[in-house]
Amino acid sequence: MAGTDDVAIVELGPADAQAGLALSTEAHWNQNEADWLTFLNHGIVYGVRSGNDLIATAALLPYSVGNAWISMVLVTARFQRRGIATRLVDACLDAAKMRKLTVWLDATPAGTAVYGPLGFTPTVELRRLRLAHPAPPAATLALSTGDLDELIARDRRAMGFDRGPLLRAFCDRAGSRLVSDGKAMALVRDGRVARQLGPLFADDTASALALVDAVAEAEARPLIIDAVHSQAAFVTGLTAAGWSIERPFQRMRFGRPTTQATEQAFAVAGPEFG
């Protein structure tokens, strides 16, 4: 496979979940098999094979009111820097154009340099933080089970479009927790190597930080959170509590916004889902 002219792009199905998981594991990403099945069952996933081996992927996950998310853009190490990822993203954009979808993604710094020339516009910035060894905070906050309808409503206000089916599916997964203290609420779910905390909504920064502390107290596994960078006091509070910043993400949009967001989350569901 010397270049991209002879690359055959194929559409993948649920039987490819384990092969996709092998790619994201090679990249040290946190997705598990359930995440891959979400894309394969509810989205459009393109791939490239070398012989019987899946060596590259990209996914388009439609949401509501003409919006979709691009993610899982992966190329195994020995086939990188051959233009394969760009070809796969182009396939996703073609599929979105046919369906008249505005496309979003969360890009690493390297990805930002690729997606900008393709016509993507930067929007909000994110910061991924990790808590490797959760430890009890100084004070305990009593948590109850959150209201899923409220989470969906707040997520709709923050995103500008509805992701109810996705959030309901997250909550239905084994090990997932939707927690609230009345002033803040968050979803916690399993990932391959760490628990993902988000989306997280709160009335104020202090309530958001108190909820994160309470979640950390109850969790034994490492935690990751993708915090909204403009929530500066929240990010500062996390680092003061022992969270380490791993990497930035830049949210980008291809196409015109379809609706206006009216609320800002403190943390998002993850770069693969938005």
Side-chain angles (χ1 to χ4, degrees), residues 155-170:
D155 185 77
R156 185 188 305 116
R157 293 196 294 270
M159 298 296 295
F161 48 86
D162 182 74
R163 299 190 301 172
L166 176 74
L167 297 177
R168 289 184 188 279
F170 281 165

Side-chain angles (χ1 to χ4, degrees), residues 99-262:
R99 294 161 175 79
K100 298 181 179 180
L101 299 174
T102 292
V103 175
W104 302 76
L105 55 77
D106 288 335
T108 63
T112 302
V114 173
Y115 299 127
L118 294 178
F120 282 84
T121 301
T123 58
V124 302
E125 291 185 42
L126 307 171
R127 293 292 183 271
R128 167 157 290 192
L129 298 96
R130 178 183 294 268
L131 187 64
H133 304 289
T140 300
L141 183 69
L143 296 180
S144 60
T145 300
D147 185 317
L148 179 54
D149 289 336
E150 181 184 354
L151 178 76
I152 291 171
R154 297 190 75 165
D155 185 77
R156 185 188 305 116
R157 293 196 294 270
M159 298 296 295
F161 48 86
D162 182 74
R163 299 190 301 172
L166 176 74
L167 297 177
R168 289 184 188 279
F170 281 165
C171 287
D172 286 342
R173 290 184 187 179
S176 292
R177 301 172 62 213
L178 177 56
V179 296
S180 173
D181 70 339
K183 297 181 179 179
M185 65 187 315
L187 179 61
V188 190
R189 70 180 197 276
D190 278 341
R192 185 181 62 85
V193 295
R195 298 267 280 167
Q196 176 89 38
L197 201 168
L200 189 158
F201 301 98
D203 296 342
D204 51 61
T205 300
S207 298
L209 289 170
L211 184 72
V212 171
D213 281 348
V215 169
E217 183 182 35
E219 295 286 340
R221 295 184 66 199
L223 289 164
I224 58 174
I225 188 169
D226 294 300
V228 176
H229 180 54
S230 59
Q231 301 277 23
F234 178 63
V235 176
T236 298
L238 290 175
T239 58
W243 292 73
S244 300
I245 295 178
E246 285 195 338
R247 65 178 68 89
F249 289 102
Q250 176 67 62
R251 182 155 293 180
M252 307 182 83
R253 185 189 69 245
F254 187 92
R256 300 174 64 87
T258 57
T259 54
Q260 184 68 38
T262 58

Side-chain angles (χ1 to χ4, degrees), residues 83-94:
I84 297 174
T86 300
R87 286 281 308 276
L88 287 166
V89 171
D90 285 343
C92 290
L93 291 176
D94 288 343

